[in-house]
């Protein structure tokens, strides 16, 4: 799902980089041939649907004659994984590949620790296979250094179908409908909205609300361009007020709850709805639930014509072994292969990032997501998810997280005060 929110550790500086590699080279060269042939992959796919997807990738790499060495770091937000990655890079012993994305790819590129996989990309025509809004993110100075594996739609609302039937309601298309439905669910003794009390979940929910309240043009100006007047303006205030209103329809035991546990509340019927990217579908699938029957997946209120995307990707790090380099290229090729794109995304709940795929095996949620992605591309309403590391620097994103998390938890702070703080946060360096 996502990489981290909050104050992420930044990559080591150039001086530190040179020092640690000088210190670490002897240890790396001392590794035996058996170890050097291993392709160590750092990732944070540890929940049910995600772990199943990671296993598929491992098996496919093994079939190519390479040895996958699993480096799974628990923590759905990816913060723990990024801390582990920094530690390994500083030690001069990075993994062969690591699950990172967005501006973080460029930052690691600036450190000189990533390796080009452009020969694989050219041979297989990645520029024609990957949407341009995504391919640019995977490149450093015009060279592919990372490979995308999927496209997640973030602005999703997941609904327990039986809960909705109990209050005789339809999936809410507007915020007024959403709150009327939430009120009816609460009166029926059902928690209307499941959420985990973690900053990244607060941020993702707010991002989705802001898109639904203000639209794609507002979202772009506020969170991509970081326009000061937009961040402080009346539409942002309205978005913050709408976001805070949701809190009254959540449960009090949310603090520290992981996202997949919140999804479990919707699956079991303990809660009715959840704002979450479509990696949540993997949890429904593992539980044997059927879209359209057991649960509904719809665009969040007001955001039907827009699409916030989050892309999982793997960046490749410089290693000192020809065997591992061969394994890295095998892995890069696998990630964009039609077979992997199909199997992986069926498990993960996302849609293939490779364009032109046959989606006949995918369910209605995925097919709708793919159609909406194409439509948003044509309309200019396809926007990257700032809450999932696709836009801003870790410093700005972390500052936004703090503002949103504090606003969610502070009943005395006004929406205008929070908007003003967002404008200040956008200047974080």
């Amino acid at each position: 799902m996502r990489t981290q929110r909050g104050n992420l550790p930044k990559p080591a500086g150039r001086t530190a980089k040179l020092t640690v590699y000088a210190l670490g080279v002897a240890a790396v060269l001392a590794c035996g041939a058996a170890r050097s042939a291993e392709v160590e992959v750092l990732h944070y796919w540890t929940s049910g649907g995600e772990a199943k997807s990671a296993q598929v990738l491992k098996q496919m790499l093994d079939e190519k004659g390479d040895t996958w060495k699993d480096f799974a770091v628990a923590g759905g937000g990816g913060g723990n994984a990024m801390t582990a990655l920094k530690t390994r890079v500083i030690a001069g012993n990075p993994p062969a590949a690591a699950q990172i994305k967005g501006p973080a790819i460029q930052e690691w590129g600036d450190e000189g620790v990533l390796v080009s996989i452009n020969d694989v990309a050219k041979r297989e025509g990645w520029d024609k296979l990957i949407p341009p809004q995504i391919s640019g993110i995977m490149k450093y100075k015009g060279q592919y250094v990372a490979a995308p594996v999927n496209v997640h739609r973030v602005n999703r609302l997941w609904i327990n179908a039986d809960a909705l039937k109990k209050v005789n309601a339809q999936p809410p298309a507007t915020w007024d409908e959403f709150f009327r439905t939430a009120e009816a669910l609460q009166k029926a003794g059902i928690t209307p909205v499941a959420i985990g009390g973690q900053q990244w979940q607060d941020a993702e929910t707010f991002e989705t609300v802001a898109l639904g309240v203000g639209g794609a043009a507002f979202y772009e100006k506020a969170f991509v361009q970081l326009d000061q007047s937009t961040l402080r303006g009346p539409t942002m205030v309205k978005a913050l007020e709408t976001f805070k209103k949701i809190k009254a329809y959540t449960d009090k035991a949310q603090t520290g709850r992981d996202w997949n546990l919140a999804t479990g509340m919707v699956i079991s019927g303990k809660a009715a709805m959840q704002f979450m990217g479509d990696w949540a579908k993997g949890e429904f699938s593992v539980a044997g639930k059927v879209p359209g029957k057991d649960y509904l997946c719809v665009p969040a209120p007001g955001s039907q014509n827009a699409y916030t995307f989050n892309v999982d990707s793997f960046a490749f790090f410089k290693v000192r072994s020809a065997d591992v380099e061969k394994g890295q290229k095998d892995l890069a090729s696998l990630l964009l292969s039609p077979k992997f794109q199909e199997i992986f995304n069926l498990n993960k709940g996302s849609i293939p990032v490779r364009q032109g795929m046959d989606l006949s095996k995918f369910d209605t949620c995925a097919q709708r997501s793919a159609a909406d992605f194409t439509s948003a591309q044509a309309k200019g309403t396809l926007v990257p998810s700032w809450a999932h590391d696709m836009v801003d620097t870790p410093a700005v994103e972390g500052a936004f997280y703090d503002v949103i998390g504090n606003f969610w938890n502070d009943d005395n702070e006004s929406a205008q005060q929070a908007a003003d703080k967002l404008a200040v946060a956008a200047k974080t360096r």
Side-chain angles (χ1 to χ4, degrees):
M1 23 144 304
R2 88 168 241 82
T3 316
Q4 166 70 346
R5 334 54 206 167
N7 296 321
L8 282 181
K10 295 181 179 179
R14 292 185 180 277
T15 300
K17 175 198 67 179
L18 294 173
T19 301
V20 299
Y21 274 91
L23 292 173
V25 65
V28 174
L29 293 176
C31 291
R35 290 191 61 189
S36 68
E38 292 176 332
V39 181
E40 186 175 24
V41 183
L42 185 155
H43 66 91
Y44 44 94
W45 289 332
T46 56
S47 72
E50 293 177 329
K52 186 176 180 180
S53 297
Q55 186 64 23
V56 169
L57 185 56
K58 174 186 181 299
Q59 291 172 349
M60 293 182 73
L61 188 65
D62 289 347
E63 289 171 2
K64 275 189 167 283
D66 304 304
T67 301
W68 169 291
K69 183 178 180 181
D70 201 52
F71 187 1
V73 181
N80 295 338
M82 294 306 97
T83 299
L85 176 61
K86 180 185 177 185
T87 300
R88 288 287 299 274
V89 173
I90 289 175
N93 184 29
Q99 186 186 351
I100 58 177
K101 56 188 177 181
I105 295 173
Q106 309 305 312
E107 291 192 347
W108 284 113
D110 287 341
E111 293 301 312
V113 296
L114 298 183
V115 64
S116 171
I117 52 169
N118 218 50
D119 54 342
V120 177
K122 278 190 172 183
R123 182 177 69 244
E124 300 183 358
W126 285 11
D127 280 344
K128 294 181 180 179
L129 296 176
I130 304 171
Q133 294 90 340
I134 296 171
S135 62
I137 300 171
M138 301 298 127
K139 296 177 181 179
Y140 179 72
K141 295 184 177 180
Q143 298 277 312
Y144 279 97
V145 293
V149 296
N150 58 2
V151 175
H152 280 298
R153 187 178 193 173
V154 179
N155 58 315
R156 281 285 195 194
L157 181 64
W158 302 88
I159 306 172
N160 180 292
D162 286 339
L164 213 57
K165 289 177 184 176
K166 287 179 181 178
V167 296
N168 195 29
Q170 296 297 316
T174 67
W175 287 108
D176 285 343
E177 290 177 3
F178 173 83
F179 287 114
R180 283 199 298 270
T181 300
E183 189 68 26
L185 288 162
Q186 198 167 62
K187 288 180 179 178
I190 302 170
T191 299
V193 180
I195 191 171
Q198 298 171 332
Q199 279 195 327
W200 76 265
Q201 294 187 59
D202 296 341
E204 181 189 312
T205 301
F206 172 67
E207 171 187 275
T208 296
V209 171
L211 180 67
V213 169
F218 160 79
Y219 179 101
E220 176 90 18
K221 200 167 185 181
F223 300 115
V224 179
Q225 300 174 20
L226 302 179
D227 180 74
Q228 286 288 298
S229 62
T230 304
L231 287 165
R232 297 178 186 271
T235 303
M236 185 64 72
V237 171
K238 184 178 180 182
L240 285 160
E241 289 172 343
T242 304
F243 166 67
K244 190 64 166 285
K245 190 175 178 181
I246 294 172
K247 187 178 181 181
Y249 300 101
T250 63
D251 70 310
K252 297 185 183 303
Q254 62 190 257
T255 303
R257 178 188 294 143
D258 286 336
W259 70 271
N260 53 311
L261 298 181
T263 304
M265 293 172 63
V266 179
I267 292 171
S268 68
K270 183 177 180 180
M273 299 180 285
Q274 181 189 23
F275 294 99
M276 187 55 58
D278 56 16
W279 48 87
K281 190 176 70 175
E283 302 302 303
F284 285 94
S285 298
V286 168
K289 302 301 180 182
V290 179
K293 176 186 175 184
D294 302 309
Y295 68 96
L296 308 174
C297 50
V298 298
S303 69
Q304 292 85 346
N305 294 319
Y307 193 116
T308 41
F309 68 86
N310 173 32
V311 177
D312 288 315
S313 56
F314 284 90
F316 296 87
F317 285 76
K318 290 180 179 178
V319 293
R320 296 173 178 83
S321 164
D323 288 338
V324 176
E325 288 173 3
K326 181 260 184 187
Q328 287 176 315
K329 293 181 179 183
D330 285 345
L331 178 59
S333 179
L334 267 179
L335 292 172
L336 265 294
S337 68
K339 180 181 178 181
F340 174 74
Q341 285 281 306
E342 179 176 272
I343 294 174
F344 175 84
N345 286 289
L346 283 171
N347 284 332
K348 188 71 160 53
S350 46
I351 60 173
V353 70
R354 182 183 175 117
Q355 298 184 106
M357 289 280 296
D358 176 9
L359 301 181
S360 59
K361 292 183 181 178
F362 286 75
D363 62 27
T364 54
C365 288
Q367 291 174 1
R368 168 71 185 274
S369 179
D372 286 352
F373 182 92
T374 301
S375 176
Q377 273 188 305
K379 294 176 181 176
T381 58
L382 184 66
V383 292
S385 169
W386 70 261
H388 289 282
D389 314 321
M390 298 304 300
V391 182
D392 302 313
T393 65
V396 171
E397 182 183 304
F400 278 171
Y401 273 27
D402 290 341
V403 172
I404 298 304
N406 291 338
F407 177 65
W408 178 262
N409 292 302
D410 185 353
D411 293 335
N412 296 317
E413 184 173 72
S414 71
Q416 184 63 67
Q417 287 173 320
D420 291 340
K421 289 180 180 179
L422 282 175
V424 174
K427 298 178 180 180
T428 304
R429 294 292 181 267

